[in-house]
Amino acid sequence: MPIFIIFTLLAALIGVPIVFALAFGPLLDFFLQGNDAMLKISLQRWFAGINQFPLLAVPLFILAGEIMNAGDITRRLVRLAQVLVGHLRGGLAHVNILSSILFAGLSGSAVADASALGSMLVPAMERDGYSRRFATAVTAASAVIGPIIPPSIIMIVYAYIMNVSVGALFAAGVVPGLLMGVSLMVMTAFLARKHDLPKQEKRADFKEVGKAVTQGFFPMLTPVIILGGILLGIVSPTEAAAIAVVYALGLSLFVRSLSLSELPDIFCRSAKSSAVILLMIGSAALLGWVLNMSGVPQSLAGTVLGLTDSTLLFLLAANLLLLVTGMFLDAGPAILILGPILGPTLLGLGLDPVHFAVIMCLNLTIGLATPPFGLILFTASAVSGVKVEQIVRSMLPFYFVHGVVLLLVTYVPAISLTLPRWLGFSVGQ
């Protein structure tokens, strides 16, 4: 194993922030070798890693999500979900999951989903007779939908690293995301009958439904505008992100759910989040460049292909690796590290890069909701005040759903590739 990989792993293990750990190994290796020329080139490579026009979509989508969160948009989506499914047994649990599906089209972030919806729905579910632990578990379990249904920040990162179409990835995430949401609602219906969970006594009348649909109509147009523009070839993903910001801002100001005085704080939060992600991309670009020069991905691909030529076995091993990685690392850094390593191997086995992107994003996002270090768990715990271990115990039935959906998406490529193929993208050929 090259020494720079050991340096990088040691830095991460002793608690060095991942953004610095990624660059630490290669830079320390060049320094110890006295290779000043490579040190200078490394800095150029680091900057070149983030000086890419497509990556401008990342801070813009983050800004759009922050504006939506600060405005009244989230509450309108929750109300729409409530009039649609609130009358079912376990109604507010269904509302929680459906709200995650609707909210995924706005934020593309699992943590934002758990934070925004958890702070609103966990207290509401507790008042309605649910245990706070179960309400928090539903919130954490459904938050994994956020990065799968487009727009998805981690899919933009994957598209950049692996040089695949953002539009194809966005299209490929729609059906798996909806499948995850529907499957979680099926499990919730089973638990609702088994444990006699509360239900809304009065079903929303036509007037209430009409009002909720009217209030939720324009927020729901956000993913339609983003996806429609990209998939029809009218705008690039970066331009679509800029349109999303303008639309979110205009909508929030029009309904007077956001004041101009709140914008500086929104811009600051967005800038901080964007800076962290882009710094990690730059560091990962440097690590990826050094990895390619060292031949590590090619050696790994050759080793794997020498052990087995079975795509099924490789996918099983890749799933286990990605799931475990997602338990310890955030999805973005994990994609930046593992994408360049696993990429040559999957191509050698004939896997479609778009299909593997969905597998990778789904694994890593599920890992965020899995102990010991799942960020969704800690976010949900902070919002609700429930201990992480209690959340995990209540999530066991939902972990089963996550696993089943993951296996279906992995071994039935049509779930991910049919929609992109219908839209004209060259996938699964």
Side-chain angles (χ1 to χ4, degrees), residues 284-296:
L286 169 60
L287 179 62
W289 171 63
V290 178
L291 279 170
N292 283 328
M293 284 198 308
S294 68
V296 170

Side-chain angles (χ1 to χ4, degrees), residues 94-376:
H94 289 294
V95 168
N96 198 324
I97 297 168
L98 182 56
S99 296
S100 291
I101 295 173
L102 299 177
F103 193 72
L106 306 181
S107 72
S109 167
V111 174
D113 184 310
S115 177
L117 296 180
S119 60
M120 182 183 305
L121 286 172
V122 170
M125 290 178 69
E126 189 176 28
R127 287 193 300 269
D128 203 40
Y130 298 82
S131 70
R132 195 170 188 85
R133 187 173 70 179
F134 178 78
T136 308
V138 173
T139 301
S142 60
V144 304
I145 301 170
I148 307 304
I149 294 179
S152 169
I153 294 171
I154 62 174
M155 283 189 177
I156 295 174
V157 174
Y158 181 97
Y160 167 69
I161 291 294
M162 302 300 291
N163 194 28
V164 297
S165 166
V166 174
L169 291 189
F170 278 8
V174 173
V175 176
L178 293 176
L179 177 62
M180 179 66 79
V182 171
S183 300
L184 288 171
M185 293 181 78
V186 170
M187 176 58 75
T188 299
F190 170 77
L191 295 174
R193 289 186 175 87
K194 181 179 179 181
H195 300 294
D196 195 28
L197 295 178
K199 64 178 291 187
Q200 189 172 286
E201 294 299 329
K202 179 186 175 184
R203 185 168 184 166
D205 57 29
F206 183 77
K207 183 178 179 181
E208 290 175 315
V209 173
K211 182 179 179 181
V213 170
T214 301
Q215 290 183 342
F217 176 75
F218 288 105
M220 282 304 301
L221 279 183
T222 306
V224 175
I225 292 171
I226 294 170
L227 284 179
I230 294 174
L231 298 179
L232 292 175
I234 300 173
V235 294
S236 69
T238 305
E239 292 164 341
I243 292 171
V245 170
V246 174
Y247 183 77
L249 184 58
L251 182 60
S252 297
L253 293 175
F254 178 75
V255 299
R256 298 182 180 179
S257 61
L258 185 70
S259 64
L260 293 175
S261 62
E262 296 177 80
L263 290 180
D265 286 339
I266 292 173
F267 289 145
C268 285
R269 289 198 302 271
S270 302
K272 289 177 182 178
S273 299
S274 302
V276 171
I277 293 174
L278 292 174
L279 282 171
M280 285 192 296
I281 290 176
S283 297
L286 169 60
L287 179 62
W289 171 63
V290 178
L291 279 170
N292 283 328
M293 284 198 308
S294 68
V296 170
Q298 294 79 3
S299 299
L300 179 62
T303 301
V304 172
L305 293 174
L307 294 174
T308 178
D309 57 358
S310 171
T311 303
L312 298 181
L313 288 177
F314 173 75
L315 283 174
L316 179 61
N319 271 317
L320 293 174
L321 172 63
L322 292 169
L323 191 58
V324 172
T325 301
M327 295 178 188
F328 295 91
L329 281 181
D330 195 5
I335 288 173
L336 293 169
I337 296 170
L338 295 177
I341 295 176
L342 295 176
T345 308
L346 70 93
L347 291 176
L349 290 170
L351 292 176
D352 187 273
V354 172
H355 178 214
F356 190 75
V358 177
I359 296 173
M360 192 173 199
C361 292
L362 189 55
N363 264 293
L364 295 173
T365 307
I366 291 173
L368 288 176
T370 308
F373 300 118
L375 191 56
I376 291 175

